[in-house]
Amino acid sequence: MEKQAIIDVKAVNKGFGGLKAVSNCSLSVAKGSITGLIGPNGAGKTTLFNMVAGTLMPDSGQILFDGKDVTHLQPHERFAEGLLRTFQIAHEFSHMTALENLMMVPPGQPGERLIDAWFRPGKTARVEAEVRKKANEVIEFLHLGHVKHELAGNLSGGQKKLLELGRTMMVDAKAVLLDEVAAGVNRTLLKDLAANIKRMNTELGYTFFVIEHDMDLIAELCDPVIVMAQGEVIAEGPMEELRNNPEIVEAYFGTAVEDVA
Ligand SMILES: Nc1ncnc2c1ncn2[C@@H]1O[C@H](COP(=O)(O)OP(=O)(O)O)[C@@H](O)[C@H]1O
Ligand SMILES: [Mg+2]
């Protein structure tokens, strides 16, 4: 039986000038899955993500989220539906603590940011207490309790990544897009990050759609894995299967075959 899709990309096209970055692309991400998206540089992965997140409009085609057509919704409207992507901790937040960083995330209500609530007398204390409680829960979940009062700017690369992940937990996310979240993270912290993604998936029911260059991480986390090349989806399946398919290895892995064997 076909699993229920939370993200459904239907015949999407996107060109930049003469270049077709994404070409008649159809794929779906099953609810409750950790789905990987791999492919060589320039394959169109980030362009596809941007269209799913709403920061880029497709030239044609359709994007459904949880059964609803979101093709023409703005990123914040998709965010309010529970479709999130992670962002690097902005420079101006590096002087705030880890806990405060989480508290800056909009607390679920579309369009209402915590910062606005602070200027509204009466609501202030209640909202702040609720958000602080939630932020503490998130920090404990990610095992970052020991650094919650550290300035975000002083956290290690891996801890910052966990904090970025934590920001998605401050709202009721249904699906989270991760674009090369492991870049620059060392092996040990990568394991932490992967473990937390898995726990968010199994314990909290998050769906993840993950672009990643690290094949070990993809193999450990993702099933299925979708392969893009030159703007098109060329394969989908468990990583083991893809690794053993000579056409895929040739088309995608190219000269890097030894890295993935
Ligand atoms: N804003 C843009 N303007 C022009 N070309 C772009 C833009 N974004 C991406 N491209 C081009 O589209 C293609 C796909 O890029 P991208 O989606 O970033 O691939 P990937 O994430 O798989 O490496 C590349 O050829 C890239 O140079
Ligand atoms: Mg990219």
Side-chain angles (χ1 to χ4, degrees):
M1 203 180 74
E2 190 91 336
K3 282 191 199 139
Q4 200 183 351
I6 190 151
I7 296 169
D8 226 337
V9 172
K10 294 185 168 182
V12 161
N13 287 282
K14 182 71 189 177
F16 297 109
L19 177 94
K20 211 130 206 293
V22 170
S23 183
N24 196 32
C25 183
S26 296
L27 58 84
S28 53
V29 174
K31 202 173 268 188
S33 71
I34 305 180
T35 298
L37 183 61
I38 65 175
N41 272 332
K45 305 179 298 294
T46 298
T47 302
L48 182 83
F49 257 40
N50 288 338
M51 291 190 285
V52 172
T55 49
L56 261 186
M57 284 291 150
D59 298 333
S60 63
Q62 213 184 12
I63 292 166
L64 306 184
F65 181 65
D66 214 6
K68 177 178 171 174
D69 188 342
V70 297
T71 315
H72 301 288
L73 294 190
Q74 293 298 311
H76 71 272
E77 294 171 309
R78 299 185 199 202
F79 183 99
E81 299 280 333
L83 176 58
L84 274 65
R85 73 186 308 173
T86 58
F87 286 98
Q88 288 196 331
I89 304 294
H91 181 67
E92 61 268 30
F93 290 157
S94 60
H95 63 279
M96 297 172 68
T97 69
L99 193 69
E100 287 165 346
N101 262 278
L102 293 181
M103 293 179 64
M104 290 305 293
V105 176
Q109 305 90 320
E112 184 189 40
R113 285 176 177 269
L114 183 59
I115 194 85
D116 299 331
W118 283 346
F119 293 106
R120 255 180 278 146
K123 262 192 133 183
T124 312
R126 182 181 59 79
V127 173
E128 195 195 323
E130 272 172 25
V131 173
R132 182 176 295 276
K133 180 166 174 282
K134 176 79 179 166
N136 271 294
E137 287 167 7
V138 167
I139 265 217
E140 291 306 327
F141 183 89
L142 296 171
H143 305 308
L144 286 175
H146 58 297
V147 293
K148 71 179 174 185
H149 298 305
E150 283 286 338
L151 300 184
N154 292 344
L155 299 184
S156 73
Q159 289 169 334
K160 279 184 191 152
K161 294 291 174 190
L162 287 178
L163 198 57
E164 288 166 22
L165 201 56
R167 287 154 65 94
T168 67
M169 297 173 67
M170 289 299 293
V171 293
D172 292 324
K174 293 179 192 156
V176 179
L177 307 174
L178 302 176
D179 192 349
E180 296 192 35
V181 76
V185 176
N186 75 41
R187 305 304 306 178
T188 314
L189 290 166
L190 207 57
K191 283 209 157 60
D192 253 21
L193 193 62
N196 278 293
I197 291 169
K198 269 190 184 162
R199 288 173 61 224
M200 284 173 70
N201 176 252
T202 55
E203 295 173 29
L204 305 175
Y206 280 59
T207 300
F208 285 95
F209 192 21
V210 181
I211 296 179
E212 194 49 73
H213 274 304
D214 188 308
M215 287 304 125
D216 292 333
L217 187 68
I218 285 278
E220 187 183 332
L221 274 184
C222 300
D223 189 16
V225 176
I226 297 169
V227 188
M228 276 183 84
Q230 296 177 328
E232 294 178 20
V233 172
I234 59 167
E236 174 175 345
M239 192 61 185
E240 271 320 296
E241 222 170 79
L242 299 175
R243 275 176 162 165
N244 293 319
N245 179 332
E247 277 172 43
I248 300 306
V249 171
E250 170 67 26
Y252 169 31
F253 303 109
T255 55
V257 172
E258 65 275 15
D259 294 338
V260 297

